Amino acid sequence: MQSNSFSTGMEFSEELDRRASLREVRDLFKIPDGTIYMLGNSLGLLSAPSRSAVSRVLDEWENLAIKGWLEGEPPWFWMAERLGKAAAGMVGAKNLEVICTGSTTFNIHSMVSTFYKPSHGRSRIVAAADDFSSDIYALKSQISLKGMDWREHLILVQPDRRRQTSEERIEQAITEEVALVLLPSVFYRSSQLLDMERITAHAHRKGAIIGFDCSHSVGVVPHRFDDFSPDFALWCSYKYLCGGPGSPAFIYINSEHFDLEPGVAGWFGNVKETQFDLRLDFEHTRSAGGWQVSSPGILSAAGVEGALEIILDAGIERIREKSLKMTSYLIFLVDQLLSGEPYDFDLITPREPEKRGGHVALSRKHDASRIKEALHGRGVITDFRPPDIIRLAPSPLYNTYREIREVVEQIREIIDTGEYLRVSPERKIIS
Ligand SMILES: Cc1ncc(COP(=O)(O)O)c(C=O)c1O
């Protein structure tokens, strides 16, 4: 994977494809007609197993109606637990520690309201200024709900000039005054992958609870939660897990904490055997399942179920290996073909493989948003993140090396011909 083992020729990309692992997996996905889809870090594509799992549930709804909860094959009542168990291996957790439920932001509220117990002298929450907006909104509102001022109690670790948030900076912020830490595993803009193990050990030494938003890593980066015991984690299923738009998210809760009272309680968190007694005393099940709240959306969970089969079959280690090779190749091409005038792209993503997630972020001082729109016009699907970033996520499941090479060529053409200057500088409502 040394960059000197790559070359820029189109034929070289085809040679990489001939030797690529997981080549056959692409056929399980529906690639939108006429597109090069390089946005699996935002919404993963539909696969044949997801389609068939969703249509199975539709049939069950039609034929079994309410009986589907116990008579669906498999029964809907344990769907969230089943998916949690299926996903546990790829994050290195025990089966009961993972549940498929809620949404990313909702689960942050649920986790923070469970774990954040501010006391005199230990009331701060540490997060990263470059984390996703919704995570920070949730933290601010959780602090406000306690009748406290987030301006005083929320510490946002700032990135450096290279837009990296170093472990050192984070550790400096985690002092004995910190009650809770919430960090991304991979930053959504830069694709920087944090050393979660190191930060967790530091937080625990300081007596703080620590959790991670792994939305940008699960499905493309393996985790080993068992090895370093974070207190909680959560992640969405519509990016690298290909569960479908708005598909249910996941929570990991370290088994040490199963006895804690869920901060946000609901009847699906009750012990299954007595849930339908409908007693007014909530008895949460001693597993991550205890943090479920409402009836699970079975149709959208089915999308997750189908895609998980593919990912488990492929194996998360193999997925990571191919992802790193793809992003290394892309970085090589950016260095060779997109840096310097007139292209002027800078790489924001760390070059070290162990510090990198599944996408590559390129910044450009001017017109990045218009270049991304021009790419869309050509059927190359990427996205723009303010102020100046284009993200490219070659999926090891359904992208090819040839597509990576092609995208770089298309960016060059758009700049060479000035095509992007004909695109309105107005950003669309979704960029
Ligand atoms: C890191 C991160 N956290 C939270 C969210 C918000 O997710 P949701 O809309 O599922 O709450 C996103 C959405 O892309 C995200 O990337």
Side-chain angles (χ1 to χ4, degrees):
M1 225 181 311
Q2 292 301 311
S3 59
N4 60 11
S5 60
F6 294 129
S7 99
T8 54
M10 210 47 101
E11 327 71 55
F12 181 75
S13 67
E14 288 161 5
E15 180 55 30
L16 287 175
D17 280 322
R18 274 192 289 280
R19 288 187 275 121
S21 61
L22 303 174
R23 258 179 325 177
E24 65 294 348
V25 178
R26 178 176 162 95
D27 297 338
L28 297 172
F29 286 89
K30 175 77 187 85
I31 317 286
D33 289 343
T35 68
I36 295 181
Y37 190 83
M38 227 161 263
L39 205 49
N41 58 324
S42 188
L43 177 67
L45 291 180
L46 173 65
S47 65
S50 285
R51 181 181 277 282
S52 73
V54 172
S55 84
R56 185 197 74 226
V57 171
L58 281 171
D59 289 345
E60 289 174 342
W61 178 19
E62 186 174 65
N63 297 313
L64 298 173
I66 193 75
K67 291 198 286 184
W69 287 103
L70 292 178
E71 294 177 21
E73 285 188 13
W76 305 342
F77 197 44
W78 290 277
M79 181 94 153
E81 286 76 10
R82 240 183 357 262
L83 295 179
K85 185 173 168 190
M90 71 177 96
V91 295
K94 297 185 257 310
N95 291 344
L96 292 179
E97 290 177 323
V98 180
I99 190 82
C100 180
T101 191
S103 66
T104 317
T105 310
F106 175 79
N107 290 342
I108 295 175
H109 282 288
S110 166
M111 292 300 96
V112 175
S113 61
T114 300
F115 285 101
Y116 181 45
K117 306 259 176 343
S119 62
H120 191 66
R122 193 187 275 281
S123 60
R124 289 187 176 163
I125 294 185
V126 165
D130 262 1
D131 200 354
F132 194 76
S133 56
S134 201
D135 296 38
I136 305 301
Y137 304 160
L139 292 176
K140 287 181 176 175
S141 67
Q142 284 294 322
I143 294 172
S144 301
L145 275 171
K146 297 267 194 270
M148 294 156 47
D149 186 349
W150 59 261
R151 289 167 202 83
E152 218 179 294
H153 299 282
L154 179 62
I155 310 295
L156 293 179
V157 181
Q158 299 296 325
D160 62 22
R161 277 190 297 123
R162 291 163 30 259
R163 307 198 211 183
Q164 309 299 308
T165 308
S166 69
E167 286 79 7
E168 289 79 5
R169 278 183 184 225
I170 293 170
E171 285 176 352
Q172 276 163 16
I174 306 175
T175 61
E176 267 87 10
E177 284 142 4
V178 172
L180 184 136
V181 180
L182 177 73
L183 292 167
S185 51
V186 167
F187 284 86
Y188 79 100
R189 258 191 296 245
S190 67
S191 195
Q192 179 196 347
L193 169 62
L194 284 173
D195 184 340
M196 298 163 70
E197 184 163 355
R198 167 178 167 176
I199 300 168
T200 300
H202 177 86
H204 285 166
R205 272 197 301 279
K206 297 289 175 183
I209 291 285
I210 182 161
F212 291 93
D213 179 342
C214 298
S215 295
H216 288 270
S217 58
V218 173
V220 75
V221 177
H223 292 302
R224 295 254 26 112
F225 292 160
D226 265 352
D227 290 349
F228 63 96
S229 279
D231 297 288
F232 67 89
L234 47 99
W235 57 92
C236 75
S237 64
Y238 44 75
K239 300 178 191 295
Y240 295 104
L241 292 180
C242 303
S247 53
F250 285 85
I251 298 176
Y252 156 87
I253 297 193
N254 192 308
S255 56
E256 276 179 29
H257 300 305
F258 284 172
D259 285 335
L260 281 179
E261 223 26 61
V264 179
W267 74 315
F268 259 79
N270 202 86
V271 172
K272 286 256 186 260
E273 288 67 25
T274 57
Q275 178 177 341
F276 274 78
D277 293 352
L278 304 175
R279 288 197 304 256
L280 299 191
D281 294 322
F282 174 55
E283 187 196 349
H284 80 276
T285 186
R286 266 42 180 181
S287 67
W291 276 260
Q292 291 175 89
V293 177
S294 298
S295 312
I298 299 298
L299 277 170
S300 48
V304 182
E305 178 196 296
L308 267 183
E309 280 171 27
I310 300 178
I311 293 169
L312 295 176
D313 260 13
I316 190 66
E317 298 293 342
R318 278 209 300 166
I319 290 174
R320 172 67 167 161
E321 193 185 332
K322 182 169 178 188
S323 162
L324 282 177
K325 186 162 177 180
M326 289 183 128
T327 50
S328 298
Y329 176 54
L330 177 52
I331 289 171
F332 165 81
L333 293 175
V334 169
D335 286 343
Q336 298 292 315
L337 301 172
L338 291 180
S339 55
E341 287 194 8
Y343 309 109
D344 287 336
F345 280 100
D346 284 323
L347 182 74
I348 300 298
T349 301
R351 287 172 187 280
E352 304 92 316
E354 69 284 0
K355 292 192 175 175
R356 196 195 310 152
H359 72 272
V360 171
L362 306 178
S363 76
R364 191 174 193 270
K365 277 203 190 74
H366 305 290
D367 298 317
S369 154
R370 293 166 101 182
I371 292 169
K372 173 249 146 185
E373 275 310 319
L375 282 166
H376 269 214
R378 288 167 167 244
V380 176
I381 310 302
T382 65
D383 70 8
F384 169 79
R385 286 292 174 263
D388 59 357
I389 288 181
I390 294 180
R391 302 187 302 178
L392 300 167
S395 165
L397 300 178
Y398 48 75
N399 284 120
T400 62
Y401 290 93
R402 165 82 201 208
E403 287 178 323
I404 296 172
R405 180 65 188 82
E406 186 68 37
V407 170
V408 170
E409 199 54 36
Q410 302 246 11
I411 295 175
R412 279 168 67 88
E413 276 176 29
I414 285 167
I415 293 172
D416 286 341
T417 59
E419 186 179 317
Y420 67 100
L421 297 170
R422 295 192 286 279
V423 174
S424 160
E426 287 278 296
R427 259 173 56 207
K428 289 197 176 143
I429 194 161
I430 294 181
S431 60

